[in-house]
């Protein structure tokens, strides 16, 4: 018979056990997390304060920044605590909550990226009808749909994972509670749960990539029909930030999940997850602010006001 001891907490294996790397990695991850907070909350604040940015594209962008902030916060602080004080224990309920939040925010982001692709398709391919296609009501329904799908799927993954009994090792071979490393600890047959995970994840990836590919296919066809080079440049610049963000997001996912079996390892998964869960949320605000005139304009105004306030104080 299997040992029926009930697991009440898990131990996260972390990224590395090398004691000489703990403080340097803590400093690096702290810097990344601070940049993530400032960048994403800054984008959200700029969009909220400027009524000129209350358009569908920036509504989607503000929610994308909220998701980046959310799933980075679900993972990074616990990783930082592990580096600083060696606290790698996480309770059963906290592990389930971390998995739910990470999966929920991540899935919402995939649907938001697909929604942004459709928005860019409407803006480039049907500019005269754009305001009638992407109304405030349509935009709100699309955002709510992204959240509904995301957190419904997160609930399914969480229940699918934690409904299994855990009576083997309680050491999660990862630096946070992700689905596959936690499923590996179950003392019952987890093949059904793994199948459910891959079906749901596969549906998300295929559906969102299809929406993105079809939208950009029509966008490129429309841009190529424009004869002037200025029209080409304007069309591509409209989509540049979104295309860059999609390439990084799905590129990291492809690197993580589409490796040949002979080259696949948990250490590789961890490094890919660091990029996926911690680095990408920091990079996205930079992509959208550096390549966006309106965001750069508001950012310069905010910096100017801050400098003026400091001068008055001192």
């Amino acid at each position: 018979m299997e040992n029926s001891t009930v697991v009440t907490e898990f131990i996260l294996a972390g990224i590395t056990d090398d004691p000489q790397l703990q403080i340097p990695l803590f400093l690096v991850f702290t810097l990344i997390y601070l940049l993530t907070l400032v960048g994403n909350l800054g984008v959200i604040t700029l969009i909220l304060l400027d009524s000129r940015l209350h358009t569908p594209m920036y509504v989607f962008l503000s929610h994308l920044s909220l998701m980046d902030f959310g799933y980075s916060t679900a993972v990074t602080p616990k990783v930082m605590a592990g580096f600083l004080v060696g606290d790698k224990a996480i309770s059963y309920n906290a592990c389930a909550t971390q998995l739910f939040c990470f999966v929920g925010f991540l899935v919402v982001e995939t649907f938001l990226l697909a929604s942004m692709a459709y928005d860019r398709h409407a803006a480039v391919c049907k500019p005269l009808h754009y305001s009638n296609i992407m109304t405030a009501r349509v935009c709100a329904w699309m955002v709510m749909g992204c959240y509904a799908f995301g957190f419904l799927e997160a609930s399914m993954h969480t229940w699918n994972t934690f409904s299994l009994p855990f009576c083997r090792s309680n050491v999660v071979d990862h630096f946070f509670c992700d689905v596959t490393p936690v499923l590996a600890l179950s003392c019952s047959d987890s093949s059904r749960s793994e199948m459910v995970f891959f079906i749901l994840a596969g549906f998300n990836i295929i559906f969102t990539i299809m929406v993105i590919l079809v939208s950009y296919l029509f966008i490129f066809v429309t841009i190529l029909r424009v004869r002037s080079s200025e029209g080409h440049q304007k069309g591509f610049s409209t989509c540049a930030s979104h295309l860059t963000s999609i390439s990084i997001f799905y590129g990291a996912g492809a690197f993580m999940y589409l490796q040949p079996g002979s080259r696949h390892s948990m250490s590789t998964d961890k490094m890919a997850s660091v990029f996926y869960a911690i680095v990408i949320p920091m990079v996205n605000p930079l992509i959208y602010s550096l390549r966006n005139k309106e965001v750069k304009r508001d950012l310069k105004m905010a910096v100017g006001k801050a400098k003026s306030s400091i001068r008055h104080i001192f």
Side-chain angles (χ1 to χ4, degrees):
M1 290 180 64
E2 295 280 357
N3 186 351
S4 59
T5 302
V6 177
V7 172
T8 58
E9 72 172 14
F10 295 97
I11 305 297
L12 300 173
I15 295 172
T16 178
D17 290 325
D18 189 338
Q20 295 182 340
L21 293 177
Q22 301 303 303
I23 296 302
L25 285 175
F26 169 76
L27 295 175
V28 170
F29 277 69
T30 300
L31 177 61
I32 291 174
Y33 186 58
L34 289 175
L35 290 173
T36 301
L37 291 183
V38 172
N40 286 290
L41 295 181
V43 168
I44 294 170
T45 302
L46 289 176
I47 292 172
L48 287 174
L49 295 179
D50 189 348
S51 59
R52 292 171 294 183
L53 299 182
H54 293 176
T55 61
M57 181 177 75
Y58 291 105
V59 170
F60 289 130
L61 177 56
S62 65
H63 287 279
L64 188 73
S65 293
L66 182 60
M67 295 305 101
D68 284 334
F69 165 72
Y71 74 77
S72 175
T73 299
V75 172
T76 313
K78 184 61 181 174
V79 177
M80 290 161 55
F83 288 137
L84 185 62
V85 297
D87 180 18
K88 295 185 177 182
I90 183 169
S91 70
Y92 182 94
N93 290 335
C95 186
T97 302
Q98 186 183 59
L99 187 148
F100 172 81
C101 292
F102 177 76
V103 172
F105 290 131
L106 195 65
V107 174
V108 172
E109 178 150 335
T110 62
F111 281 100
L112 282 172
L113 288 171
S115 300
M116 293 172 78
Y118 176 77
D119 174 69
R120 293 301 82 205
H121 161 262
V124 174
C125 301
K126 300 180 180 180
L128 298 179
H129 302 284
Y130 177 72
S131 59
N132 293 325
I133 296 172
M134 292 300 298
T135 62
R137 186 172 183 177
V138 169
C139 183
W141 276 107
M142 290 176 72
V143 170
M144 286 190 290
C146 292
Y147 278 90
F149 277 114
F151 288 106
L152 175 62
E153 182 165 335
S155 300
M156 294 171 69
H157 281 304
T158 306
W159 179 85
N160 186 53
T161 301
F162 287 91
S163 62
L164 296 174
F166 298 99
C167 50
R168 294 176 181 169
S169 169
N170 68 335
V171 178
V172 179
D173 192 13
H174 214 327
F175 59 89
F176 70 99
C177 292
D178 201 2
V179 175
T180 49
V182 175
L183 282 177
L185 302 180
S186 174
C187 55
S188 64
D189 182 12
S190 61
S191 57
R192 181 180 176 184
S193 295
E194 290 173 358
M195 183 179 67
V196 171
F197 168 72
F198 285 113
I199 289 173
L200 291 173
F203 169 77
N204 285 343
I205 293 169
I206 293 170
F207 177 78
T208 55
I209 286 181
M210 285 301 297
V211 171
I212 291 167
L213 289 177
V214 171
S215 296
Y216 274 102
L217 176 63
F218 283 107
I219 288 171
F220 289 142
V221 169
T222 301
I223 291 174
L224 293 174
R225 285 176 179 173
V226 178
R227 295 183 179 180
S228 66
S229 59
E230 183 181 347
H232 289 168
Q233 185 177 0
K234 184 177 180 181
F236 283 119
S237 65
T238 301
C239 307
S241 299
H242 185 240
L243 269 176
T244 305
S245 181
I246 286 173
S247 300
I248 294 173
F249 186 83
Y250 283 101
F255 176 80
M256 184 171 177
Y257 294 110
L258 300 182
Q259 301 175 73
S262 59
R263 296 176 57 189
H264 193 79
S265 68
M266 200 61 220
S267 60
T268 306
D269 278 357
K270 288 181 183 180
M271 293 304 102
S273 295
V274 167
F275 189 77
Y276 211 71
I278 296 173
V279 177
I280 287 180
M282 176 193 70
V283 172
N284 272 342
L286 297 176
I287 294 171
Y288 283 99
S289 59
L290 293 177
R291 300 188 65 93
N292 192 293
K293 293 179 181 179
E294 288 82 3
V295 174
K296 284 198 292 186
R297 177 201 65 209
D298 283 6
L299 186 59
K300 287 179 181 178
M301 289 175 60
V303 171
K305 289 180 180 178
K307 287 182 178 178
S308 178
S309 299
I310 292 172
R311 285 171 187 164
H312 284 303
I313 293 172
F314 294 101

